[in-house]
Amino acid sequence: MTAAHIVVHYHELWLKGGNRKFFLSKMRVALKRALEGLRVARITEPGDRYLVELRDATELPEALVRLERVFGVANFSVARAIERKAAGGAGSDPLAALREAAWEEIRGEEFATFAVRAKRSDKQFPVNALTMEREVGGTLHDRLIAAGRPARVDLRNPELTCRIEVTLGPMLVHARRMPGAGGLPTNTAGRLTCLLSGGFDSAVAAFKMMRRGAHLHFVHFWGGGALPGESSVHVARELVKRLVVWQHTAKLYLVPFEPLQREIVRSAPEAYRILLYRRLMLRIAGRIARGQRSNGLVTGDSLGQVASQTLQNMAAVGAATRLPIYRPLAGDDKLEIMALARKIGTHDISAEPFHDCCPVFQPKAPALFATAAELDEGESQLDLKELERSALETMSVERYRYALGKVEAVEATRKATA
């Protein structure tokens, strides 16, 4: 059985100073959970990176797919591993095996300029990093010229960098870097509760906050469709399944909202309907968030995208809760949001037809510049406490978990009718 070695690099975590150990420990946990079920021999930390050793190289493709979804990873590479005995004995060239491995690593790549970068964690190795770079780089240059490839060395901005890492274990050589998810390791920034609509924006907003280390739970407000299966519940479930792979666990709160909307339509001014829907959603989500000890709410608001998302309306709606409201898409346009949705795999799910509860009983001329006082007046005929109580009593809760490379629904409390 052939082993495989993956070098995992991080970047932003170096900026954490005295808190670096906390973030690195969380990243190590995330790596273990992402690779759960694969035959991992060990995960070590030879310097400022992680080294993942798989017992079975046939599991390498699956491991690479999973590592793409680990927040905190800047990039990773599959490395050629050279055991010390392969480097030769006394009197032999200690760089011979490294020269050969470096040539095999780059010979099939297309590039015009290159560089060799070396790190020596094991100071017992007889050749220092600068000498390794010069000697191995010279060998590669000579072989490229002999092969009719006029590549040149460029130490400042090379198209290809061949990296040599002399660790306390094997010596590693790699040249192809695959981009990681970046950001901060999951579960390092606290809990947030996301209002998940089923559309493109809120799922992307959730991803952005998860990428900064927040752990999210989701609240979805749904209404019935004209036909069975037309509600938005199935879309919300699929979005959570897609997002949970990044943070491993999540809860989905499903709140039937149409009966509450009818109360707003019956008692409130027409121009404020959408804004009052959103205020009630924030109040209900806030109750759920406090029960989960969340530090705030996340929404998919994008400034000026729709009538309810003017600066004045967002402020008036946000006044309904004391919890902080995070709007990571506030400065993004629709094209940017759609592009990220495609990248993270939520686009096609959100593009499915479903019954969105917000446009129900939509006013002909929604208010653009409402104030909190005006919305307070619009709610004066509503029994808000009763509406919140009704929502919490009729909602259902579903739990999802990502384990062994698969997403599974763990349990549900009061099953939603979709």
Side-chain angles (χ1 to χ4, degrees):
M1 186 182 299
T2 304
H5 296 77
I6 308 170
V7 180
V8 179
H9 288 272
Y10 48 85
H11 172 66
E12 189 173 346
L13 303 190
W14 272 111
L15 305 177
K16 298 304 176 183
N19 295 321
R20 189 183 304 155
K21 288 185 178 180
F22 165 75
F23 288 92
L24 291 178
S25 67
K26 290 291 187 180
M27 185 169 168
R28 187 183 184 89
V29 170
L31 289 171
K32 286 184 175 180
R33 294 195 68 169
L35 298 172
E36 189 179 9
L38 302 181
R39 282 169 283 189
V40 178
R42 61 185 65 87
I43 298 176
T44 56
E45 298 178 52
D48 58 345
R49 63 270 195 208
Y50 287 93
L51 177 61
V52 177
E53 183 179 341
L54 298 176
R55 296 184 188 278
D56 187 355
T58 62
E59 295 181 336
L60 183 59
E62 175 65 16
L64 297 181
V65 169
R66 296 191 193 184
L67 287 174
E68 288 178 349
R69 299 192 291 252
V70 177
F71 288 129
V73 175
N75 56 72
F76 52 95
S77 305
V78 179
R80 296 174 185 269
I82 305 167
E83 298 299 333
R84 291 307 177 84
K85 60 183 180 181
S92 64
D93 179 5
L95 298 180
L98 289 174
R99 296 177 201 270
E100 192 60 34
W103 173 245
E104 292 299 323
E105 184 70 8
I106 74 163
R107 64 184 302 180
E109 302 296 316
E110 294 293 330
F111 58 92
T113 60
F114 76 99
V116 175
R117 296 299 184 193
K119 287 187 177 181
R120 186 182 60 156
S121 301
D122 181 5
K123 303 305 181 183
Q124 298 301 314
F125 190 71
V127 184
N128 64 34
L130 186 61
T131 302
M132 278 190 276
E133 292 175 356
R134 183 177 64 248
E135 294 295 326
V136 175
T139 298
L140 296 181
H141 180 266
D142 292 344
R143 288 198 177 188
L144 288 167
I145 296 301
R149 298 176 57 181
R152 60 184 178 84
V153 174
D154 184 346
L155 299 180
R156 292 187 176 182
N157 189 31
E159 292 181 17
L160 180 75
T161 301
C162 182
R163 301 181 186 277
I164 298 172
E165 305 193 25
V166 179
T167 73
L168 293 173
M171 298 187 293
L172 306 171
V173 178
H174 55 94
R176 293 176 292 276
R177 282 190 166 186
M178 290 161 274
L184 297 174
T186 188
N187 208 21
T188 55
R191 297 178 184 175
L192 292 173
T193 298
C194 177
L195 282 73
L196 187 69
S197 69
F200 300 104
D201 300 350
S202 57
V204 173
F207 174 82
K208 280 195 162 187
M209 297 307 291
M210 290 162 57
R211 190 171 181 267
R212 300 309 304 162
H215 188 278
L216 269 59
H217 294 302
F218 302 91
V219 182
H220 178 70
F221 298 90
W222 61 278
L227 297 173
E230 282 191 351
S231 87
S232 54
V233 171
H234 69 288
V235 174
R237 285 172 174 152
E238 291 304 313
L239 287 175
V240 172
K241 289 178 183 177
R242 180 69 65 174
L243 293 169
V244 76
V245 301
W246 301 92
Q247 65 173 28
H248 304 135
T249 62
K251 291 180 183 178
L252 171 62
Y253 295 84
L254 296 165
V255 181
F257 197 63
E258 194 165 315
L260 310 183
Q261 289 178 278
R262 293 185 182 277
E263 291 299 317
I264 293 174
V265 170
R266 184 178 298 113
S267 306
E270 179 182 351
Y272 297 145
R273 283 177 187 171
I274 296 293
L275 302 180
L276 297 183
Y277 295 165
R278 290 179 176 270
R279 276 168 69 109
L280 184 55
M281 288 177 177
L282 286 180
R283 286 190 173 94
I284 295 167
R287 291 278 296 273
I288 295 170
R290 284 189 287 271
Q292 289 295 319
R293 299 182 180 177
S294 285
N295 300 106
L297 302 174
V298 179
T299 72
D301 294 335
S302 174
L303 181 58
Q305 188 175 119
V306 293
S308 63
Q309 294 173 13
T310 63
L311 282 176
Q312 294 87 341
N313 282 348
M314 286 194 290
V317 169
T321 179
R322 293 183 179 181
L323 283 172
I325 301 174
Y326 299 94
R327 300 179 173 96
L329 305 186
D332 293 356
D333 63 33
K334 199 66 176 183
L335 292 178
E336 292 170 324
I337 295 168
M338 299 281 274
L340 185 50
R342 289 187 180 93
K343 182 178 179 180
I344 65 177
T346 60
H347 176 277
D348 291 350
I349 299 171
S350 295
E352 293 181 21
F354 64 88
H355 180 80
D356 188 352
C357 66
C358 278
V360 174
F361 316 119
Q362 185 168 346
K364 293 180 181 179
L368 289 175
F369 308 111
T371 66
E374 289 171 338
L375 297 187
D376 289 341
E377 177 63 25
E379 293 172 333
S380 61
Q381 301 302 312
L382 296 170
D383 187 343
L384 294 174
K385 295 297 183 183
E386 176 60 24
L387 293 177
E388 290 178 31
R389 184 197 64 78
S390 174
L392 296 175
E393 284 188 352
T394 57
M395 77 177 180
S396 62
V397 185
E398 299 179 359
R399 302 170 188 265
Y400 294 87
R401 178 175 63 195
Y402 177 72
L404 301 174
K406 297 180 180 179
V407 176
E408 58 182 359
V410 182
E411 60 178 318
T413 306
R414 291 198 303 272
K415 185 178 180 182
T417 303

